[in-house]
Amino acid sequence: MLSGSRANIALKIFGPDLTELSRLAEAVRAELESIDGIVDLAVEQQTNVPQVSIRFDRKAMAAYGMTSAMLAETVDAAFAGEAVSHVLEGTLSYELVVRYDERSRGNIDAIRDALVDTPTGARVQLRQLADIRYDSGPHSISRENVQRKMVVQANVAGRDLRGVVDDINARLDADVHFPRGYYFQLGGQFESEQAATQLISGLSVLSIIAIFVILFMEFRSVRHTLLIMLNLPLALIGGIWAVMFMDGILNVAALVGFITLFGIATRNGVLMLAHYQHLRDEGCSLYDTVLRGSLERLSPVMMTALTAALALIPLALGLDEPGKEIEAPMAIVILGGLLTSTGLNMIVIPALYFRFGQPAAETAP
C-alpha cells in the first residue's frame, strides 16, 4: 500500500520521457525474466488514446497581449467548464457549470473556430492563437515526488525476498544502461520488509543489552551473567537449523521468533545459576553444587521446555497453511532453539560453571 503496488517487488523507473521509460521498462523486464524465484512479472500498461492537442503559438499570442496562463484558463473554462454557483433542488445541491454548448465543442472544427477574448479587446478564433490537431497520448501518467515513473512489478516464490532483490540490483547495474536523468528504485513489499528487518535487528541488540543489564543487577557478577547468556548462542544453533528447514528463508516472523527464543533460553540459565548459588550459600562444595543442582533443575527445565514446545507444535505444523504465514515460521524457530538450548544447557552450563563459576575453583573429591 505504501509503494502503490500490491507485488512483492515494485521496481520504479523514473525519468522525463514516457517513450524512454517504456523502453527501459521492457529492458528491465527482459533481464528480470531470467532471475530464479521471480514470478508474475509484469510491466505497467501504458496505452495511447486519441486526443485533441492544442499547441500554443506564443508569437501570435504576444501580438494580442495573451499569455499562456490566460489562454489555458480560457480553454479550460470553455471546453471543460467552470463551476460558478450552486443550484438547490429540495435538499440537494448541484453545481452550476458554465461552458460552450455542444455545437461549439463537439468537433475539432468547432474548437478551432471558438472565439477568444484577448487583452487588446479583439475577439479572435482559437486557431489564430494555437495549432489544434488530432493526436494520441498516454491514457494516464504515473508520478511520484513530481517525477514521471513506470513500474515493473513481480512476486517471489521459492526464494527469500532479500536474495532476489540483491540479484536484481546486480543484474541491472551490469546489463541495463540508464541514460542521464533516468534511474530506478525498488519498493513494494521489499520496502516494508527491509524497514521491519532493520527495526527488529535493532530491537534484538537492545533486548540482548537489556538482558545483560538485568542479569547483572540480579547476580552482581559479570562471570555469572556471561554464563547465563551463553544460552543465547546455544539457542541460535537450533534456531538456525530451523531456518534451514524452512528453505533457508529468514523472514520477519523468524526474527521475531529469535527474540522470543532469547528470553526462553535466558530463563533456563537463570534457573540453573540461581540454584547453584543457593546450594553454594548452604555450604555445598563446587562439585556437589554442580551435580546436585543440575539434577534438581533437570525436571523444571524440561517441564517448561516441553510445555512451550507442545503449545508451539500445532502452529509449526501449519507452515504451508494459509493464514499462518507469521505464526508457523516463528514457532519453528522457537522449537529448534528450545531443542538445542535445553539439551546443551544441561551439559555445557554445568561444565563451564564447574570450570569458571567460582574465582577459586574446587576439585572433585
Side-chain angles (χ1 to χ4, degrees):
M1 292 175 62
L2 294 175
S3 66
S5 173
R6 299 181 181 180
N8 296 152
I9 298 174
L11 194 150
K12 297 174 283 190
I13 306 172
F14 296 91
D17 184 70
L18 291 176
T19 302
E20 183 65 16
L21 286 176
S22 297
R23 185 192 69 79
L24 289 173
E26 289 299 327
V28 168
R29 183 190 60 79
E31 289 294 331
L32 266 58
E33 280 181 338
S34 59
I35 296 179
D36 182 39
I38 286 186
V39 296
D40 304 328
L41 183 61
V43 178
E44 180 182 347
Q45 295 298 313
Q46 191 66 263
T47 304
N48 287 340
V49 295
Q51 297 177 352
V52 174
S53 174
I54 302 178
R55 301 177 184 271
F56 294 169
D57 185 344
R58 296 183 180 273
K59 291 183 178 180
M61 292 165 53
Y64 291 96
M66 199 79 169
T67 65
S68 297
M70 294 170 59
L71 185 55
E73 184 178 352
T74 300
V75 170
D76 182 64
F79 300 106
E82 182 176 344
V84 296
S85 182
H86 288 80
V87 177
L88 293 175
E89 290 189 4
T91 59
L92 301 178
S93 174
Y94 301 93
E95 287 187 339
L96 179 61
V97 177
V98 177
R99 64 179 178 179
Y100 284 176
D101 60 14
E102 182 64 26
R103 291 176 301 174
S104 301
R105 58 184 175 86
N107 58 71
I108 193 169
D109 290 329
I111 295 175
R112 288 170 177 163
D113 295 336
L115 295 177
V116 176
D117 292 326
T118 64
T120 61
R123 301 187 71 190
V124 298
Q125 292 179 327
L126 185 57
R127 69 170 77 227
Q128 296 177 253
L129 302 175
D131 178 28
I132 304 164
R133 64 177 68 178
Y134 284 120
D135 202 349
S136 63
H139 70 289
S140 64
I141 299 176
S142 299
R143 289 185 175 87
E144 186 173 317
N145 295 328
V146 201
Q147 297 185 75
R148 292 183 175 184
K149 71 172 183 177
M150 191 163 289
V151 179
V152 181
Q153 61 184 25
N155 291 318
V156 177
R159 286 189 63 189
D160 64 296
L161 192 57
R162 180 63 60 86
V164 172
V165 169
D166 291 340
D167 288 350
I168 291 174
N169 283 320
R171 185 72 62 85
L172 295 185
D173 290 340
D175 299 335
V176 179
H177 171 68
F178 287 84
R180 185 175 181 180
Y182 295 84
Y183 63 96
F184 73 90
Q185 289 181 352
L186 284 167
Q189 182 180 332
F190 161 74
E191 197 172 6
S192 58
E193 185 271 342
Q194 187 179 43
T197 300
Q198 293 175 350
L199 175 62
I200 292 178
S201 299
L203 292 176
S204 299
V205 175
L206 289 177
S207 66
I208 293 174
I209 295 174
I211 290 172
F212 181 87
V213 172
I214 293 172
L215 291 176
F216 180 77
M217 292 174 62
E218 175 65 25
F219 290 93
R220 299 294 177 180
S221 170
V222 174
R223 181 177 304 183
H224 291 167
T225 300
L226 292 177
L227 281 175
I228 295 173
M229 294 194 68
L230 186 63
N231 278 280
L232 301 187
L234 300 181
L236 280 175
I237 296 173
I240 294 173
W241 282 352
V243 171
M244 299 304 297
F245 173 76
M246 296 185 297
D247 299 325
I249 298 176
L250 182 64
N251 52 28
V252 174
L255 292 175
V256 174
F258 276 112
I259 296 178
T260 307
L261 185 58
F262 290 163
I264 298 176
T266 303
R267 178 202 58 194
N268 292 340
V270 171
L271 288 175
M272 297 283 290
L273 264 293
H275 195 53
Y276 288 164
Q277 291 298 104
H278 174 69
L279 294 176
R280 291 293 285 171
D281 293 341
E282 289 183 349
C284 292
S285 66
L286 180 60
Y287 179 83
D288 290 338
T289 295
V290 173
L291 180 61
R292 178 183 167 187
S294 300
L295 292 176
E296 290 179 352
R297 279 295 171 260
L298 177 61
S299 294
V301 170
M302 292 297 296
M303 180 182 66
T304 55
L306 285 174
T307 301
L310 291 175
L312 292 170
I313 286 175
L315 294 177
L317 294 177
L319 180 61
D320 296 326
E321 297 180 8
K324 294 185 178 180
E325 294 84 357
I326 301 297
E327 295 92 340
M330 181 176 64
I332 291 175
V333 167
I334 296 175
L335 281 173
L338 281 176
L339 180 64
T340 57
S341 66
T342 303
L344 295 176
N345 181 72
M346 305 306 299
I347 299 173
V348 177
I349 300 300
L352 291 177
Y353 184 84
F354 184 78
R355 177 65 180 83
F356 302 106
Q358 299 296 326
E362 301 176 12
T363 56

